[in-house]
Amino acid sequence: MSNELEIVPNPPALASALPHNVLDLVTKVPKTPLPKDAVVSLRAFQRAANYIAAAMIFLRDNVLLESELQLEHVKPRLLGHWGTCPGLILVWSHLNLLIRNHDVDMIYVIGPGHGAPAALAALWLEGSLEKFYPGEYDCNSAGLRNLITRFSVPGGFPSHINAETPGAMHEGGELGYALAVSFGAVMDKPDLVVTCIVGDGEAESGPTATAWHAIKFLDPRESGAVLPILHVNGFKISERTIFGCMDDKEIVCLFSGYGYQVCIVEEIDSINEDLHSTIEWALAEIRKIQRAARSGKPIVKPRWPMIVLRTPKGWGGPKKLDGKIVEGSFRSHQVPLAKANSDGSQLKLLNEWLSSYDIGELLKDGKPGRQILDILPKNGSKKLGQLKDAYDSFIPLKKVDWKEFTVEKGTDQSCMQVTGKYLDKVFQENPTTIRLFSPDELESNKLSAILDHTQRNFQWDQYTRANGGRVIEVLSEHDCQGFMQGYTLTGRTAIFPSYESFLGIVHTMMVQYSKFVKIAQEVSWRGDLASINYIETSTWARQEHNGFSHQNPSFIGAVLNIKPESARVYLPPDANCFLSTVHHMLKSKNKTNLVIGSKQPTAVYLSPEEAAEHCRIGASIWHFASTPLPANTDPDVVLVGIGVEVTFEVIKAAELLRAICPSLRVRVINVTDLMVLVAESKHPHAISKERFAELFTNDRPVHFNYHGYVTELQGLLFGREGLWRMSVAGYREEGSTTTPFDMMLVNGVSRFDVATWALNAGAEWNEEVRRDLEKSAKEVGGRVDDVRKFIAQHGKDPDDMYDMAKFE
């Protein structure tokens, strides 16, 4: 932002051209008188928390200002974000009072994740840090010193909210998904209220923009409620925010259109009275909507309450520095006095700022006084940092026998259709602890059997509202991901099926969530979580009519890049294996599971028993497609399929080779658990060196026909011995709207490509193959030409292209 244009703090928005009467949409809340003792307690809590938050950013000694600040009292590295903290603390104090007065089950989701100093300060005051970190952050002077001096240094809390933060249920590193997570958290939790504060910078993000619509998927009969607070303090790191430049007319029109009742709180002189009245009103509105729904007379399109809170950026901090505005400008966003550890004038300003809170009066002997504690919930388990829903609420699913839904070996079956029937039963047996979140693709992905005993849940649709549907379809992958995270983090199980090519939209959200779970597993007081489960289908290999735009298997690589303890990628080769895998995923914990399969009917190679064993070990030799050999005899070549369609091509290549070159000794392997290939010690599922050699031999050529990008698999294999003899074929960004088999051809993974490789590699080991190589290669080439001509002439694949391979 140009310094020349900066004239006043908290610059007002330009007036809109909207008619003045749209302000009639603003909800006017009658003032609820605050008892004097409550006013005193609120202010005491706010002052103490603001002091602690600021001290965490700056101080490494003299944490209670028992003497004049010196340069050596200030940290050598000043890290943290001050600008949002006063507003976050203001809301925290009022939520304390609301919970105390109404015994509410509440979680406070803080969208501005770098507001960690505010959260940690409040958590220390309420005793939650002492509960979860006894002996480290107790409510005494030693505990406070630890909190302040360790903040944002090795061994202490980071500058953003994460799994180490009591009460937190989302990773604060990436802005944008707090609101969707909040809505996911309250689904099937009828007594839970999540207050979600969304920063006005965060509100510019795509995930937040779509999440405002989440009220339309919330059934107040079965679920709790979200109270969104849009915190408008006007600035990002160095620029004004969009919402900070919208006047009240523009904001109320926008959010009224979304379906909210909007109340604006902005009078600083009466901020406590106004916010108290508004939060009381909001809770009353929520209860009114819920009572109607639970009495059997739900309100059609209820207008849920939301609050727009306007406070100055960096409120209470330095007003100016070197003649430039600080409070009420972008300069207060992070560290408003960035040279306080080296510049005497900035140190003086810091001393004046921190002294203004009179912390010695509030924390006598380093302990919170009665004034501060008076507004806290009397029931410790209801405190914002201690509600069990946010850290230890896992409910395992009631098990369903997947083998009841298996199909006959030797038939053609859709992995998705078969799995849909199984999931239908899982949903029936677990009516309040599992949900499916999906873009508008359930029918297309052939999972619609899930809807045999449930339905979609869309409260603005007269045909699906108020019927308890387990399926939420919304054309926002961001919302699906956020809902899944919130639902899982509060103890339940979720599934996210999607077109393969568009799961990458939530790549970074998945990574942030996986980071949260990784840290959560290292925190002793957090319980287990159900795994998050992605079903990836409509893959590049069978695009039918969609073409190049719908080809992108990159989400595999995204999952592979997270910590091995969490990452699981499965490519089951047939419907029975897919069923077994999904069953395993639903009972797993603390993982990020990705399973990839076809929605089109494909060959079923294994019986239920064989599928169970194959999935258990992750990779095995398929003897039915391999050349019969005496014991302890190695083949000439090893052909490996990883993925439905590319495995089919490997099997068909083996069939072709047996017909045209019977002297070539072929071993066929399928890998269903991608992680077994990783070098030993690098992943829990990695097979041993001995097992790897047993499968792939010690020295024979190995060819992997892989569903994803070649470099992914090459990276997994790195560290295994004998890489020189291994080749990988995979998706290589080729193919527009064309036939399924032509997709195999143009990407070099067809049966003919596999067979050609096998003949050339096998000739190095087998004299008979070498002698007939030219003839065999010519036979394969002729078949390729015939198929290409047929496709060009008829616009489809030959009718026998997908016949089950026969080995006699």
Side-chain angles (χ1 to χ4, degrees), residues 206-344:
T208 302
T210 58
W212 294 112
H213 290 291
I215 50 172
K216 302 170 175 85
F217 300 95
L218 199 66
D219 184 343
R221 180 178 61 84
E222 64 191 8
S223 294
V226 174
L227 173 58
I229 300 177
L230 177 63
H231 186 203
V232 182
N233 57 29
F235 290 89
K236 298 170 285 196
I237 290 177
S238 61
E239 169 66 300
R240 295 180 71 181
T241 64
I242 292 173
F243 287 90
C245 293
M246 294 171 68
D247 68 6
D248 288 353
K249 291 187 287 185
E250 290 162 330
I251 282 180
V252 74
C253 283
L254 175 66
F255 289 103
S256 296
Y258 277 139
Y260 292 94
Q261 293 185 73
V262 184
C263 186
I264 300 172
V265 177
E266 58 186 343
E267 295 297 330
I268 296 300
D269 292 340
S270 59
I271 198 79
N272 279 307
E273 291 77 5
D274 291 353
L275 188 56
H276 169 69
S277 301
T278 302
I279 288 179
E280 287 281 343
W281 158 80
L283 183 63
E285 288 298 307
I286 287 168
R287 296 295 188 236
K288 180 176 73 175
I289 293 167
Q290 291 175 337
R291 279 195 303 270
R294 294 167 193 180
S295 67
K297 298 178 180 178
I299 300 169
V300 177
K301 291 188 176 181
R303 294 183 65 212
W304 293 89
M306 74 161 288
I307 299 170
V308 176
L309 175 64
R310 295 187 187 273
T311 66
K313 189 83 168 184
W315 184 22
K319 303 291 185 186
K320 286 190 173 184
L321 175 64
D322 297 332
K324 296 177 181 178
I325 296 165
V326 178
E327 184 192 78
S329 84
F330 69 91
R331 293 189 186 87
S332 64
H333 180 80
Q334 293 179 314
V335 181
L337 300 172
K339 296 181 180 178
N341 53 11
S342 61
D343 184 297

Side-chain angles (χ1 to χ4, degrees), residues 394-706:
F394 174 57
I395 304 170
L397 293 176
K398 183 179 177 181
K399 295 178 181 176
V400 173
D401 185 2
W402 65 275
K403 290 185 179 178
E404 293 180 10
F405 301 89
T406 53
V407 290
E408 186 179 351
K409 177 179 176 179
T411 60
D412 286 343
Q413 303 284 345
S414 163
C415 296
M416 297 303 134
Q417 286 182 327
V418 171
T419 301
K421 294 173 184 177
Y422 164 68
L423 291 175
D424 173 42
K425 183 66 173 177
V426 173
F427 278 57
Q428 290 178 65
E429 294 296 319
N430 300 275
T432 61
T433 54
I434 185 169
R435 284 188 184 242
L436 184 144
F437 303 103
S438 173
D440 183 26
E441 298 160 357
L442 207 62
E443 295 281 351
S444 171
N445 285 333
K446 301 189 186 303
L447 286 166
S448 55
I450 293 170
L451 300 172
D452 286 352
H453 294 91
T454 186
Q455 63 180 51
R456 296 175 178 86
N457 191 322
F458 181 24
Q459 297 305 300
W460 280 33
D461 174 12
Q462 62 267 43
Y463 303 109
T464 63
R465 64 183 293 272
N467 282 313
R470 299 282 86 202
V471 174
I472 289 182
E473 283 192 321
V474 55
L475 266 172
S476 166
E477 285 82 0
H478 292 126
D479 273 0
C480 293
Q481 176 73 24
F483 294 161
M484 175 169 67
Q485 291 181 197
Y487 197 73
T488 303
L489 286 166
T490 47
R492 286 73 58 74
T493 303
I495 304 170
F496 181 174
S498 177
Y499 281 16
E500 175 181 71
S501 53
F502 305 125
L503 263 180
I505 291 170
V506 299
H507 175 170
T508 58
M509 293 179 73
M510 178 276 292
V511 171
Q512 292 285 321
Y513 177 81
S514 298
K515 290 178 184 292
F516 185 95
V517 174
K518 174 192 178 294
I519 298 299
Q521 293 308 294
E522 298 170 3
V523 174
S524 62
W525 45 269
R526 282 196 182 268
D528 286 325
L529 295 165
S531 299
I532 55 170
N533 304 297
Y534 300 96
I535 295 178
E536 187 173 283
T537 188
S538 293
T539 66
W540 68 266
R542 291 297 299 269
Q543 274 317 302
E544 312 303 336
H545 61 278
N546 282 315
F548 197 42
S549 64
H550 284 56
Q551 299 166 20
N552 184 355
S554 64
F555 198 66
I556 298 173
V559 177
L560 292 178
N561 284 331
I562 64 177
K563 292 293 287 186
E565 293 80 7
S566 301
R568 299 292 184 269
V569 179
Y570 303 103
L571 294 103
D574 68 9
N576 285 338
C577 291
F578 203 92
L579 269 178
S580 175
T581 301
V582 171
H583 166 75
H584 170 77
M585 287 165 48
L586 292 182
K587 67 179 183 179
S588 69
K589 294 181 286 190
N590 308 312
K591 304 292 187 296
T592 297
N593 292 320
L594 171 62
V595 58
I596 302 155
S598 179
K599 66 185 182 182
Q600 305 299 341
T602 54
V604 179
Y605 307 104
L606 304 181
S607 69
E609 293 73 22
E610 291 167 338
E613 177 63 10
H614 180 55
C615 292
R616 184 187 69 80
I617 60 179
S620 60
I621 300 171
W622 281 11
H623 294 285
F624 72 88
S626 302
T627 305
L629 295 173
N632 301 317
T633 303
D634 282 340
D636 298 322
V637 294
V638 180
L639 305 180
V640 188
I642 310 177
V644 176
E645 292 84 3
V646 292
T647 292
F648 185 84
E649 293 304 306
V650 167
I651 302 298
K652 294 296 285 186
E655 178 192 40
L656 174 61
L657 290 167
R658 192 170 297 188
I660 69 171
C661 189
S663 60
L664 179 66
R665 296 172 297 184
V666 175
R667 175 178 291 175
V668 172
I669 290 175
N670 177 260
V671 175
T672 183
D673 179 354
L674 196 56
M675 314 315 288
V676 303
L677 298 176
V678 181
E680 266 186 288
S681 81
K682 291 186 178 179
H683 194 277
H685 286 192
I687 56 178
S688 67
K689 177 181 177 181
E690 293 73 21
R691 175 60 177 161
F692 192 86
E694 184 182 327
L695 287 172
F696 301 104
T697 76
N698 285 309
D699 56 1
R700 300 307 164 92
V702 182
H703 183 71
F704 292 90
N705 221 34
Y706 174 51

